[in-house]
Amino acid sequence: AELVEASVLQELGEAEKTIESLIANCADAIDEMLTIHKFMDKMARTHSYAAEYDLKKYYPALYSKVIKVKRDSIYSIWKSNMEKGKQSGHYRMELNTEIIAKMNLLRVESTMDTCILTTEELLSQDFFTEMFIYHIRGIGTPKGISRMEELLILKQ
């Protein structure tokens, strides 16, 4: 049990360090959010549902801990991104960053835990792009939306 916990927590720590290093090189909040979404898309493609099932079944306390660590980390990253975007004029100033960060977390979690989308749809590039556009159009200013469109054209 200790070995499993150490392995899982190390993997989570490495993912968090990877995200931090990726976003450190971003030009602005929109670029950062696109980078975060791409990283999460990559993680979803390599995610082992069998390992998650085993963790939940055989190590329920660790599974709960992992979920909390993931949620806290993702929430913190998104909240920080929104504050940065508000300061730079890419995101609307009146956004309640706490609520939007939680809604985004809920949206991502519920998307991954649904019977509505097929695995192929969920892992398609179109799905990733539409989710990103949907999010930025909801929180972005005209400046932010313009930047998003520019980045999507550049990164094709």
Side-chain angles (χ1 to χ4, degrees):
E2 290 174 12
L3 181 60
V4 171
E5 181 171 359
S7 302
V8 170
L9 294 179
Q10 180 181 351
E11 188 177 321
L12 287 174
E14 288 174 12
E16 193 168 337
K17 285 179 189 174
T18 300
I19 290 174
E20 288 171 4
S21 70
L22 288 171
I23 64 178
N25 298 316
C26 292
D28 54 47
I30 302 292
D31 188 22
E32 185 177 292
M33 185 60 74
L34 179 59
T35 299
I36 293 166
H37 270 76
K38 283 187 172 187
F39 179 79
M40 292 180 71
D41 180 56
K42 181 181 173 187
M43 294 300 289
R45 291 174 189 280
T46 60
H47 181 73
S48 170
Y49 289 97
E52 182 179 349
Y53 174 82
D54 287 347
L55 190 64
K56 189 175 186 177
K57 181 176 179 178
Y58 299 111
Y59 304 95
L62 177 57
Y63 177 78
S64 294
K65 183 177 183 177
V66 167
I67 295 299
K68 181 172 180 6
V69 168
K70 279 183 180 180
R71 285 178 179 160
D72 290 349
S73 177
I74 294 169
Y75 170 80
S76 176
I77 290 167
W78 278 332
K79 188 174 175 195
S80 174
N81 174 267
M82 282 187 278
E83 291 298 336
K84 182 188 288 186
K86 286 166 69 172
Q87 295 298 319
S88 66
H90 289 100
Y91 300 154
R92 296 181 290 114
M93 285 300 292
E94 74 277 6
L95 287 178
N96 182 323
T97 55
E98 290 182 19
I99 291 174
I100 299 299
K102 287 177 183 176
M103 284 175 44
N104 204 25
L105 181 60
L106 181 63
R107 178 179 55 90
V108 169
E109 282 188 1
S110 65
T111 299
M112 300 305 285
D113 189 28
T114 183
C115 297
I116 296 172
L117 298 167
T118 66
T119 303
E120 293 78 23
E121 289 171 324
L122 191 62
L123 298 178
S124 75
Q125 186 62 38
D126 288 342
F127 183 77
F128 156 76
T129 302
E130 290 301 322
M131 289 287 284
F132 175 70
I133 292 169
Y134 179 81
H135 180 65
I136 298 301
R137 286 199 181 276
I139 67 172
T141 62
K143 176 183 175 181
I145 292 169
S146 176
R147 177 66 173 145
M148 172 199 65
E149 291 170 346
E150 174 187 324
L151 284 172
L152 288 176
I153 290 169
L154 291 174
K155 301 213 179 195
Q156 286 184 353

